[in-house]
């Protein structure tokens, strides 16, 4: 493995005792994008840069993205495919490098054009996955997404021929993460990592999104790490934790408390990187200043948090995730075909996900202690493994109430009363 690249930077930072913190920064103009990258680099924290793409590019509507660029219309992200290569190179000039790598974040089930554009400007780090960038969001059939991602991995892996070590991050640990019991999240993250590995990627990060209970989250990250040790022995890998992906607190104090808990989770579990969220998340796209404040707050909390990892193989989450990964891998030697078969058979079934390729029979709920539990496992091969506790029928009002559980908990309570106990203050 080379000593350069996104994964190598994160590995060096972790060895030096630093948590890498990263924004989800998205702005459409080259000048604002460059300003955001500079501010991220210069923050009082160990950071990597982010170029988050716009919604038109994400869904492949390049005509609308290109028209917006021509007319100077502001978008909700950077249209990397529509900007000239020279323009994006100018954005990165003097900023991107071994001491400040930049990752492209996008959300596309068909990212070939995005991968071509990012590699053309000298970037080689991005994220997503054939499952996680298909089922939660879009209408692209899973079969098409698997094919698109196989081709995209090949495009990125070709960067190794020039001496680079391209990096891919799974989004699998964030699939409808706010109401998905962690066994399934961990399994999908590991399966997407294996998909990347089998398509030529050797530097990988596996994701997990902070959820409703700190101890359950710690168990989940421990399980994820243990499964990566088992399944990725010849791969450079690290874990990236996402600050809560659902409805964020509306108060500044609540938002900082929740972000602080995410930083504590990342460091305590031995994770190497954290995707932050800001005080503005509940209202609008955050400014550069708000992103920097979030990065610096997370870094400050991380600096005073000890690493206290759990035994990942001794948890309920590990038992569930391991069973799911094993069951999927037994379906077909071709992992893409195995993923398609797994969803067709209901072996993988994301609760409350309406995509037509998802069985939609599994159900989950938040118990009185704040833990996510299975109410129904559908046809997933978890009989005798999962702790299934059937709840009363969940109404739409119950679902909305569950989605706002974390927001209410962190906005309305003192630190000692928030699930998980004492929290970091801004």
């Amino acid at each position: 493995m080379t000593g350069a690249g996104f994964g190598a930077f994160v590995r060096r930072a972790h060895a030096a005792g630093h948590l890498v913190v990263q924004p989800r920064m998205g702005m459409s103009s080259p000048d604002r994008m460059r300003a955001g990258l500079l501010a991220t680099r210069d923050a009082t924290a160990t950071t990597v840069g982010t170029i988050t793409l716009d919604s038109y590019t994400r869904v492949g509507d390049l005509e609308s993205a290109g028209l917006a660029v021509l007319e100077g219309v502001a978008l909700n992200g950077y249209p990397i495919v529509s900007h000239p290569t020279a323009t994006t190179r100018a954005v990165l000039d003097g900023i991107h490098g071994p001491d400040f790598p930049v990752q492209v974040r996008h959300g596309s089930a068909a990212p070939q054009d995005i991968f071509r554009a990012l590699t053309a400007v000298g970037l080689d780090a991005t994220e997503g996955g054939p499952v996680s960038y298909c089922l939660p969001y879009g209408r692209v059939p899973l079969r098409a997404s698997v094919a698109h991602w196989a081709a995209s991995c090949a495009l990125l892996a070709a960067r190794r021929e020039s001496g680079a070590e391209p990096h891919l991050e799974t989004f699998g640990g964030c699939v409808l993460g706010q109401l998905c019991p962690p066994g399934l999240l961990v399994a999908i993250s590991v399966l997407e990592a294996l998909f990347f590995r089998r398509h030529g990627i050797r530097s990988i990060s596996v994701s997990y999104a902070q959820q409703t209970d700190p101890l359950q989250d710690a168990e989940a990250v421990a399980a994820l790490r243990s499964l990566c040790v088992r399944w990725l022995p010849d791969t450079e890998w690290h874990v990236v934790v996402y600050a809560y992906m659902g409805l964020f607190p509306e108060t500044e104090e609540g938002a900082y408390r929740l972000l602080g808990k995410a930083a504590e989770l990342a460091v305590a579990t031995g994770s190497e990187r954290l995707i932050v969220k800001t005080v503005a998340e509940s209202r609008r796209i955050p400014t550069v200043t708000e992103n920097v404040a979030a990065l610096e707050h997370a870094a400050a909390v991380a600096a005073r948090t000890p690493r206290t990892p759990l035994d990942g193989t001794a948890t309920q989450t590990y038992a569930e995730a391991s069973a799911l990964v094993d069951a999927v891998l037994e379906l077909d030697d071709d992992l893409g075909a195995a993923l398609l078969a797994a969803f067709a058979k209901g072996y993988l079934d994301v609760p409350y996900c309406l995509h037509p390729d998802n069985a939609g029979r599994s159900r989950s709920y938040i118990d009185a202690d704040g833990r996510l539990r299975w109410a129904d496992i559908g046809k997933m091969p978890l009989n005798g493994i999962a702790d299934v506790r059937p709840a009363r029928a969940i109404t739409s009002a119950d679902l909305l109430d569950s989605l706002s559980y974390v927001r209410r908990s962190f906005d309305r309570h003192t630190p000692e009363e928030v699930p998980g106990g004492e929290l970091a203050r801004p």
Side-chain angles (χ1 to χ4, degrees), residues 166-246:
H167 183 88
L168 258 181
E169 170 194 320
T170 73
F171 197 70
C174 310
V175 176
L176 213 65
Q178 63 268 33
L179 284 178
C180 190
L184 180 59
L185 295 180
V186 169
I188 294 177
S189 199
V190 171
L191 288 166
E192 288 194 327
L194 287 170
F195 182 92
F196 296 162
R197 173 66 181 78
R198 294 189 183 184
H199 287 281
I201 305 300
R202 298 294 181 270
S203 180
I204 295 169
S205 48
V206 288
S207 63
Y208 179 77
Q210 177 189 26
Q211 297 187 64
T212 57
D213 179 76
L215 179 55
Q216 189 177 42
D217 285 340
E219 293 170 353
V221 176
L224 180 58
R225 299 191 72 87
S226 294
L227 285 167
C228 286
V229 169
R230 174 184 170 190
W231 287 109
L232 300 172
D234 59 348
T235 305
E236 175 190 85
W237 61 269
H238 70 263
V239 173
V240 53
V241 171
Y242 281 66
Y244 187 66
M245 297 286 285

Side-chain angles (χ1 to χ4, degrees), residues 26 28 40 48-49 62 71 90 114 119 128 148 162 184 214-215 230 236 242 247 253 262 273 281 292 305 311 387 418:
S28 58
T40 299
V48 292
L62 300 181
E71 296 181 348
I114 294 168
T119 56
H148 289 315
S162 62
L184 180 59
L215 179 55
R230 174 184 170 190
E236 175 190 85
Y242 281 66
L247 295 175
E253 185 177 28
R273 184 160 53 99
E281 298 295 332
V292 170
T305 302
D311 177 3
D387 181 15
V418 172

Side-chain angles (χ1 to χ4, degrees), residues 152-376:
S152 298
C153 285
L155 287 170
L156 194 64
R159 289 279 291 156
R160 301 187 83 218
E161 299 173 4
S162 62
E165 191 61 77
H167 183 88
L168 258 181
E169 170 194 320
T170 73
F171 197 70
C174 310
V175 176
L176 213 65
Q178 63 268 33
L179 284 178
C180 190
L184 180 59
L185 295 180
V186 169
I188 294 177
S189 199
V190 171
L191 288 166
E192 288 194 327
L194 287 170
F195 182 92
F196 296 162
R197 173 66 181 78
R198 294 189 183 184
H199 287 281
I201 305 300
R202 298 294 181 270
S203 180
I204 295 169
S205 48
V206 288
S207 63
Y208 179 77
Q210 177 189 26
Q211 297 187 64
T212 57
D213 179 76
L215 179 55
Q216 189 177 42
D217 285 340
E219 293 170 353
V221 176
L224 180 58
R225 299 191 72 87
S226 294
L227 285 167
C228 286
V229 169
R230 174 184 170 190
W231 287 109
L232 300 172
D234 59 348
T235 305
E236 175 190 85
W237 61 269
H238 70 263
V239 173
V240 53
V241 171
Y242 281 66
Y244 187 66
M245 297 286 285
L247 295 175
F248 222 64
E250 295 178 298
T251 65
E252 181 173 330
E253 185 177 28
Y256 274 122
R257 287 176 182 169
L258 184 53
L259 175 58
K261 289 301 291 183
E264 291 172 0
L265 170 67
V267 176
T269 56
S271 301
E272 292 87 348
R273 184 160 53 99
L274 172 69
I275 307 295
V276 307
K277 293 184 79 173
T278 76
V279 295
E281 298 295 332
S282 66
R283 302 183 297 278
R284 53 175 167 73
I285 295 174
T287 64
V288 170
T289 299
E290 288 162 339
N291 270 294
V292 170
L295 293 168
E296 293 183 343
H297 176 65
V301 174
R304 61 177 181 259
T305 302
R307 295 178 186 174
T308 55
L310 303 173
D311 177 3
T313 62
T315 66
Q316 176 67 32
T317 299
Y318 181 88
E320 293 181 16
S322 181
L324 291 172
V325 171
D326 288 346
V328 173
L329 293 178
E330 290 173 0
L331 290 173
D332 200 293
D333 290 338
D334 181 314
L335 187 48
L339 288 170
L340 294 173
F343 278 96
K345 292 176 178 289
Y347 284 14
L348 298 175
D349 187 355
V350 181
Y352 311 112
C353 172
L354 301 179
H355 192 284
D357 289 323
N358 188 62
R361 298 185 60 176
S362 70
R363 290 291 182 269
S364 61
Y365 67 100
I366 303 172
D367 73 8
D369 295 325
R371 293 175 72 92
L372 280 162
R373 296 194 181 277
W374 291 113
D376 192 331

